Amino acid sequence: MSAPGRSQALTPKPFKGEGTPLNRRAPASPLWRRIRDDGMAVVSVMGMTKNTGKTVALNHLLACAAADAVDVGLTSIGRDGEEFDAVYSIPKPPVLVWPGTVVATARDTLMRSGVRTKVLAGSGLSSPLGEILIVKVLDQGEMEVAGASRSHDQLRAIESLRRCGASQIFVDGALGRSHHASPAMADGVVLATGAAIGGGIADVLRKTRDRLAILAIPEAGPEMRSTCAELFAAQGVGLWTRDGQPLWQAPIASLNAGGELLAHDGAEVGRVAVTGAVARQLWAALLTLAERHPGLVVIVADGTRLFVDATDLAALEARGARLLAYRGIRIAGITLNPTSPLGGHFDAATFLASARDACPRHAVTDVVLESSHPASLTERSPHGATAA
């Protein structure tokens, strides 16, 4: 979330009436262009921590999509757009919606909405704030959004948005949860980072790179994916030779997988795949296998299933092993918030330049700076060139 006082990238003006003409001008946004041109139909917006500008980034994308007359769908993993932060009791930026946006949100949030809505359908999904309803926004303004929290419910909500006409869907992420970044749910992820993480620019960027190292682990190639496709469809763990010949598979939970993998270890092991969550105990077993089998390939579902940190990834790599995702997460971009509501801020231009240097493989932007100085800013592409 952005710090209080930091202006939105584009703030809608009061608007009444579904048929009234709307000025949909918005800044030319490299982030939006990348999402649109790469066909990322479902995009999750997630924050490194609270107050890193997630809602401001979301509002920027909603405005850009409205400017392009795209049929937009919106939902949230948790709750966003409420007036005050539940933890720090500080003002929060509202979610800014546009006429025609289709939203999956809990019934009780509609009573606090700053816009008129029309109920299109029920979802059958329950939440602490009532049933998740699919509604069409009739006005331009502020809205609180609270969607389904469980992965399978969120997938149902997304499908409901599609059935109601949404071709571009944004999922507002929740602190402490990353399942909405999984390729099983989203085609792309926007990661918001900023001064609220704490420390200086170098500290913030180090922590951001560490998070990216986990989220953006490379995707396995077609041959490896084909080898373990049956396992990932059925769930469980498995071992293969270096050339992909099966050695052992079992439909067991990853919580109990470490001991089983070591018990079935053999001289021919060259690949291991785990479909579930990978926490410390299982990671220790994978490190043991990596020591025994130089060149070992470890395949996990995706980066959201890893409950380890960047130093653990480095330890596996130091043993000569490779970590791959069955389905890789596409990082659509990284957005920056140089201010913190708890005190301290960075110079926005310096922060942006430093972040682009620190994350050369990713598209990095500050949507507020981009909006206020569009002619003077260029965005460096993930390969180091600059793009207008």
Side-chain angles (χ1 to χ4, degrees):
M1 311 290 175
S2 68
R6 192 167 200 235
S7 61
Q8 298 285 324
L10 198 152
T11 304
K13 298 177 181 178
F15 171 86
K16 296 293 182 182
E18 185 176 8
T20 303
L22 171 66
N23 178 7
R24 292 181 180 272
R25 292 172 57 195
S29 167
L31 177 61
W32 166 241
R33 286 203 307 268
R34 174 173 168 77
I35 290 169
R36 181 192 59 198
D37 295 346
D38 287 3
M40 300 181 190
V42 179
V43 172
S44 290
V45 184
M46 62 186 298
M48 284 282 295
T49 187
K50 297 182 77 66
N51 304 304
T52 54
K54 173 173 64 71
T55 303
V56 172
L58 175 65
N59 287 340
H60 173 83
L61 293 172
L62 291 172
C64 290
D68 278 358
V70 172
D71 294 320
V72 173
L74 172 65
T75 191
S76 177
I77 292 292
R79 183 180 177 188
D80 202 6
E82 65 271 37
E83 187 175 0
F84 291 96
D85 184 275
V87 176
Y88 298 110
S89 298
I90 57 176
K92 292 178 58 177
V95 175
L96 305 176
V97 293
W98 301 77
T101 302
V102 180
V103 184
T105 189
R107 183 184 298 274
D108 289 359
T109 65
L110 300 177
M111 296 186 292
R112 296 181 290 274
S113 176
V115 298
R116 294 178 302 131
T117 58
K118 175 183 178 181
V119 176
L120 300 179
S123 69
L125 302 172
S126 61
S127 80
L129 296 176
E131 183 187 2
I132 306 299
L133 300 177
I134 311 302
V135 302
K136 182 178 181 180
V137 175
L138 304 180
D139 303 327
Q140 180 181 346
E142 302 176 2
M143 187 174 186
E144 181 180 326
V145 182
S149 59
R150 294 177 296 188
S151 295
H152 61 280
D153 287 346
Q154 192 61 245
L155 289 170
R156 286 177 58 188
I158 289 171
E159 184 55 35
S160 294
L161 290 172
R162 285 196 178 105
R163 286 198 302 268
C164 289
S167 59
Q168 175 68 64
I169 297 171
F170 294 108
V171 180
D172 177 70
L175 184 66
R177 305 179 197 173
S178 59
H179 63 265
H180 57 284
S182 170
M185 182 177 298
D187 303 308
V189 174
V190 174
L191 180 65
T193 188
I197 292 175
I201 287 178
D203 299 307
V204 169
L205 295 180
R206 174 180 54 79
K207 294 173 183 176
T208 303
R209 286 197 308 269
D210 287 349
R211 186 69 177 128
L212 288 168
I214 294 172
L215 283 176
I217 57 176
E219 184 172 286
E223 183 273 330
M224 286 191 182
R225 282 171 48 84
S226 176
T227 296
C228 56
E230 184 177 333
L231 176 73
F232 277 92
Q235 303 296 301
V237 296
L239 295 168
W240 290 263
T241 64
R242 292 182 185 276
D243 59 0
Q245 297 302 310
L247 295 172
W248 171 79
Q249 295 182 36
I252 59 176
S254 58
L255 181 66
N256 307 316
E260 290 292 327
L261 284 172
L262 295 177
H264 290 84
D265 185 20
E268 302 88 357
V269 169
R271 302 177 188 176
V272 56
V274 180
T275 67
V278 180
R280 294 287 176 183
Q281 186 176 9
L282 177 53
W283 191 259
L286 293 174
L287 289 176
T288 299
L289 289 174
E291 289 176 345
R292 295 176 180 175
H293 306 283
L296 180 74
V297 175
V298 178
I299 304 174
V300 298
D302 59 68
T304 68
R305 296 304 189 93
L306 294 175
F307 294 89
V308 295
D309 55 39
T311 58
D312 296 312
L313 268 62
L316 186 74
E317 184 178 350
R319 288 163 171 77
R322 283 193 298 155
L323 179 65
L324 302 174
Y326 182 71
R327 293 180 63 188
I329 294 172
R330 299 168 70 187
I331 303 298
I334 302 167
T335 64
L336 308 178
N337 180 8
T339 66
S340 170
L342 305 180
H345 67 277
F346 306 143
D347 175 78
T350 301
F351 187 30
L352 178 59
S354 299
R356 287 176 173 172
D357 286 340
C359 304
R361 294 175 48 245
H362 300 287
V364 182
T365 189
D366 177 331
V367 298
V368 173
L369 193 63
E370 171 188 304
S371 179
S372 58
H373 300 86
S376 61
L377 287 179
T378 57
E379 180 184 33
R380 184 175 302 170
S381 76
H383 304 290
T386 58

